[in-house]
Amino acid sequence: MPMSMKIYNAQLSPYSARVRLAVYAKGLDAEIIDTFSTPELEAELEGLNPMAKVPTLLLDGVVVPESEVIGEYLEDLGVGRSLRPDGAADKARMRLLSRIGDLYIMEPMTKLFSQINPKGRDQALVDRELAELTNGMKWLAKYLDGSPFAVGDSLTLADCTLAPMLFFYAQIGPMFGSAEPFKNIPTVGQYYKGLLSNPHAKRVIDELEVALAKVMAAKP
């Protein structure tokens, strides 16, 4: 059945990247909107989603905000290839890995993004959040064995969550003195490397690299 799907997107957002990866992997057609390119599009987003946050999905008149909710909604609709594993235990593992990523990896990384510039850096904040991030990555490592997919032998919503996060983890580590960010968590590094052999995951990581390069080139 034909669908009218729009994704209000920011190319460098790990949460938008998570939804793009799910859409690519499911083989769905979607209009991906560069939301913050014009004030009109920003106003359009705010009219749909009072939080005015990306990603926001508009699908056949239904508005769904928040990346995790969007992924689950697309699964509940049964459109495209399923990104949920079979079995209750594997589904729980998939959701747990996404939860670890959201709470214990992205939260400290988000705080570290504001400290990238050494000038005016709050070292106490950096030390605290790096410790939190290290703990989160160690917890994640306990649930990964180095296989190219987080759960089972195909891409799931857990991979959609983790791929963009690990891209940013690999970028942010050297900015705070860690030249080899995966050195002490080799199973996570092996997993991320293997995941990039999936064409949909590689496509999203390439998009993030291009978007990050544009931001860095624009800095004075």
Side-chain angles (χ1 to χ4, degrees), residues 70-212:
I70 293 169
E72 293 284 356
Y73 180 66
L74 293 175
E75 291 301 304
D76 289 341
L77 286 177
V79 295
R81 185 177 75 79
S82 175
L83 300 181
R84 284 181 185 145
D86 295 328
D90 281 347
K91 286 184 175 73
R93 185 183 182 90
M94 175 196 77
R95 293 184 176 112
L96 173 62
L97 287 165
S98 292
R99 193 74 170 162
I100 290 171
D102 282 336
L103 292 179
Y104 306 115
I105 296 173
M106 272 312 302
E107 285 201 6
M109 274 207 299
T110 298
K111 293 173 184 175
L112 287 168
F113 289 149
S114 67
Q115 302 295 313
I116 289 174
N117 189 340
K119 295 180 180 179
R121 181 178 289 176
D122 182 340
Q123 194 59 46
L125 184 152
V126 168
D127 292 343
R128 182 177 68 249
E129 299 307 326
L130 281 176
E132 292 292 325
L133 179 57
T134 298
N135 283 336
M137 294 301 294
K138 286 180 179 178
W139 296 335
L140 178 63
K142 293 290 186 181
Y143 292 96
L144 297 175
D145 61 7
S147 300
F149 300 107
V151 182
D153 58 2
S154 62
L155 194 88
T156 68
L157 291 177
D159 302 303
C160 295
T161 301
L162 295 174
M165 293 180 183
L166 294 180
F167 166 79
F168 282 106
Y169 178 75
Q171 303 299 316
I172 207 168
M175 296 177 184
F176 293 97
S178 177
E180 300 179 66
F182 295 110
K183 182 178 180 179
N184 296 321
I185 44 171
T187 58
V188 180
Q190 291 162 15
Y191 158 73
Y192 182 54
K193 183 178 179 180
L195 182 59
L196 293 182
S197 65
N198 177 273
H200 307 299
K202 180 67 164 55
R203 177 181 176 182
V204 164
I205 297 305
D206 287 347
E207 290 172 349
L208 288 170
E209 287 180 342
V210 169
L212 180 60

Side-chain angles (χ1 to χ4, degrees), residues 7-13 16 32-46 49 51-56:
I7 298 169
Y8 292 83
N9 170 75
Q11 204 71 350
L12 197 55
S13 160
S16 292
I32 297 177
I33 298 168
D34 185 4
T35 309
F36 302 110
S37 60
T38 70
E40 291 77 14
L41 285 171
E42 289 187 53
E44 185 176 316
L45 171 63
E46 189 169 0
N49 176 1
M51 295 178 283
K53 292 173 63 177
V54 295
T56 293

